[in-house]
Amino acid sequence: INSCVRAIAVHEFGHALGFAHEQNRSDAQCSIDSQGSGGDVVVGAWDLSSTMNYCNPQWNNGGVLSATDIEGVRQFYGTPALLQQ
């Protein structure tokens, strides 16, 4: 049950940070219907592994951010000071 809670929490925190569903992008490579808005800014290429992607074969990417998820967070919110050393 903890893995389920983590997967949902990471996905929902993505929304709280302002991220839309990956399948809503104009370059999406899956056939799932859009849910919610498409957002105003696109970061990187369409990402199958994104925790925000309903097309991801591993539901919510198991609660683990993909490299593109991390890139998007850093682009808008910066890199933690510990990683800037």
Side-chain angles (χ1 to χ4, degrees):
I1 195 163
N2 286 340
S3 61
C4 180
V5 170
R6 177 188 172 114
I8 292 170
V10 170
H11 178 92
E12 296 305 327
F13 272 110
H15 287 309
L17 292 172
F19 297 107
H21 291 127
E22 192 75 2
Q23 73 272 7
N24 293 358
R25 295 170 51 127
S26 62
D27 62 344
Q29 300 172 21
C30 67
S31 60
I32 294 177
D33 292 336
S34 295
Q35 287 189 328
S37 73
D40 297 338
V41 178
V42 173
V43 176
W46 181 80
D47 182 11
L48 178 63
S49 297
S50 174
T51 191
M52 303 306 294
N53 196 343
Y54 282 7
C55 300
N56 188 333
Q58 183 177 359
W59 180 67
N60 286 354
N61 208 40
V64 177
L65 297 174
S66 71
T68 305
D69 291 335
I70 293 168
E71 177 185 342
V73 170
R74 287 182 177 165
Q75 180 175 329
F76 291 99
Y77 297 98
T79 301
L82 293 174
L83 298 177
Q84 294 177 2
Q85 298 176 2

